[in-house]
Amino acid sequence: MTCISSVSYSYLFDDSIHGNVKPSREIRQGDPLSPYIFIICGEVLSGLCRQAHSSGHMTGLRVATGSPRINHLLFADDTMFFLQTDVDSCAALSGILHKYETASRQMINTAKSSISFSSQTSQETRYRSAFVSGSNKPLQDSGGMRVKQAWCIVTKPVGPLARGFLGKYCKKAPFLSMKPTKYCSHGWRSIIAGRDLLILKLGFVIGSGDSIKVWKDHWLSTDTHMTPYRPAPEKYQDMVVADLLTRETKEWNIEVVENVLLVDVITLLKPSITGGLDGMAWLGSQTGIYTTRSGYFTAVEHEQNLITTIQPTDWKKLIWA
């Protein structure tokens, strides 16, 4: 708190330092300390939820028998709570939010909060549980949130969100290629829709190259969704990127690359010389990390591309439909 309350600024004028400005609103938004303060506060909220889980007052939900119980998830500035609609659980959540507001001086924005109930929840129970957020409107299907969840599953497959969903829905196929089943939940269908947007600009970052398929995966560029143009030669059908590297130095084996792909394109990429793990990157941003803003522009771009591919005769079918 001393760091926050004693903050002050000086400024340069003619290469000299002047002034000792003390802002009236304490720490500013762009201050490097801001993210750490946010994380510390978020950890307190998370700790209260974990404590409620351990004591049995808010045990959370599990999506499948073998999945862990989860009573909260944090996504940057978005928070989701999962609980039963009994009085004890609802009271526990209400107490947690009250403690958090008192300690952090941050108020819950009820106008931007909402509750989603299972289909078997009675109307009486729904209204009783709605003291929690001040609204009984159903949870909105936010495209940005769903893509963030899909991004979390891709980049953190051992996290609680991924373990819960992958343990239930991805037993027979990987997350990036599986199809939603007839009986899957509405939430999972929404995440799959978010994943389909994510795939539009999802590319591999080469580590060891062991898990990247040369002819099927997008790995040839760090800013463009690119796979090899020509069909795979029969004897190279199952080749992975690691097969294009030397065993000793983990650099490109030019002799092998020349027989398969364009050397000029390949040599621009730098694989891990220590044999690190392969990763995924969002090619829609310079950092390689998905953001809601970049996802929005990708969705608009994709929509425009779909419109331009529709032939004039198809417009009549579209209008009649």
Side-chain angles (χ1 to χ4, degrees):
M1 288 305 299
T2 302
C3 293
I4 297 175
S5 60
S6 63
V7 63
S8 62
Y9 303 98
S10 299
Y11 52 91
L12 289 175
F13 183 74
D14 289 339
D15 295 328
S16 299
I17 299 177
H18 299 273
N20 185 22
V21 180
K22 292 188 176 182
S24 59
R25 295 189 179 182
E26 300 177 344
I27 194 168
R28 63 185 176 87
Q29 184 175 356
D31 194 293
L33 189 61
S34 294
Y36 296 100
I37 299 299
F38 182 83
I39 291 171
I40 290 172
C41 291
E43 182 59 29
V44 171
L45 178 61
S46 186
L48 291 171
C49 291
R50 291 196 299 270
Q51 188 179 49
H53 172 80
S54 300
S55 64
H57 293 297
M58 197 172 80
T59 55
L61 307 175
R62 59 160 58 106
V63 296
T65 304
S67 301
R69 283 189 175 275
I70 300 173
N71 67 6
H72 74 290
L73 289 173
L74 306 178
F75 299 93
D77 58 347
D78 295 314
T79 305
M80 300 176 69
F81 300 98
F82 305 92
L83 62 153
Q84 303 288 343
T85 54
D86 59 88
V87 175
D88 190 32
S89 296
C90 293
L93 177 57
S94 179
I96 288 172
L97 296 180
H98 177 70
K99 287 181 180 179
Y100 180 76
E101 289 180 334
T102 303
S104 66
R105 300 180 186 177
Q106 294 179 338
M107 301 298 293
I108 305 300
N109 190 338
T110 57
K112 293 184 178 180
S113 303
S114 54
I115 306 176
S116 178
F117 296 95
S118 68
S119 59
Q120 298 178 352
T121 308
S122 66
Q123 287 295 329
E124 179 183 355
T125 303
R126 295 182 186 220
Y127 285 117
R128 185 183 69 240
S129 303
F131 69 82
V132 178
S133 73
S135 170
N136 60 358
K137 63 183 180 181
L139 183 65
Q140 299 298 315
D141 237 353
S142 171
M145 171 63 78
R146 298 310 180 191
V147 185
K148 282 183 181 179
Q149 291 173 332
W151 173 251
C152 184
I153 291 175
V154 169
T155 56
K156 298 177 181 178
V158 296
L161 175 72
R163 287 168 53 204
F165 279 122
L166 297 181
K168 181 172 184 179
Y169 294 113
C170 299
K171 295 180 179 179
K172 297 183 179 180
F175 173 61
L176 292 179
S177 59
M178 64 84 57
K179 303 293 184 183
T181 61
K182 181 179 179 181
Y183 300 104
C184 70
S185 68
H186 173 70
W188 179 246
R189 287 184 183 276
S190 299
I191 291 177
I192 291 299
R195 177 210 63 181
D196 292 343
L197 173 64
L198 198 65
I199 289 175
L200 294 177
K201 287 197 175 180
L202 195 64
F204 276 90
V205 177
I206 304 171
S208 64
D210 291 323
S211 62
I212 305 176
K213 297 179 177 61
V214 170
W215 302 98
K216 296 180 180 179
D217 293 328
H218 299 275
W219 63 277
L220 284 176
S221 174
T222 57
D223 55 14
T224 304
H225 217 214
M226 185 184 299
T227 54
Y229 293 107
R230 66 175 186 173
E234 186 174 353
K235 64 178 181 178
Y236 296 127
Q237 290 278 344
D238 300 321
M239 177 178 277
V240 295
V241 172
D243 297 328
L244 302 176
L245 306 175
T246 61
R247 292 185 178 182
E248 298 78 16
T249 64
K250 302 299 180 182
E251 296 178 340
W252 295 115
N253 188 329
I254 301 301
E255 183 178 350
V256 176
V257 172
E258 286 179 337
N259 293 331
V260 182
L261 298 164
L262 297 176
V263 176
D264 293 341
V265 175
I266 298 295
T267 52
L268 292 176
L269 304 173
K270 303 297 181 183
S272 171
I273 60 175
T274 60
L277 297 176
D278 299 321
M280 302 294 292
W282 171 250
L283 305 181
S285 67
Q286 294 181 349
T287 62
I289 300 174
Y290 173 82
T291 63
T292 303
R293 179 181 175 83
S294 61
Y296 169 78
F297 286 112
T298 297
V300 171
E301 178 184 348
H302 180 61
E303 206 169 297
Q304 290 175 342
N305 290 338
L306 288 177
I307 291 175
T308 56
T309 56
I310 298 178
Q311 300 298 321
T313 53
D314 293 332
W315 277 108
K316 295 180 180 178
K317 299 178 182 178
L318 186 62
I319 293 171
W320 280 109

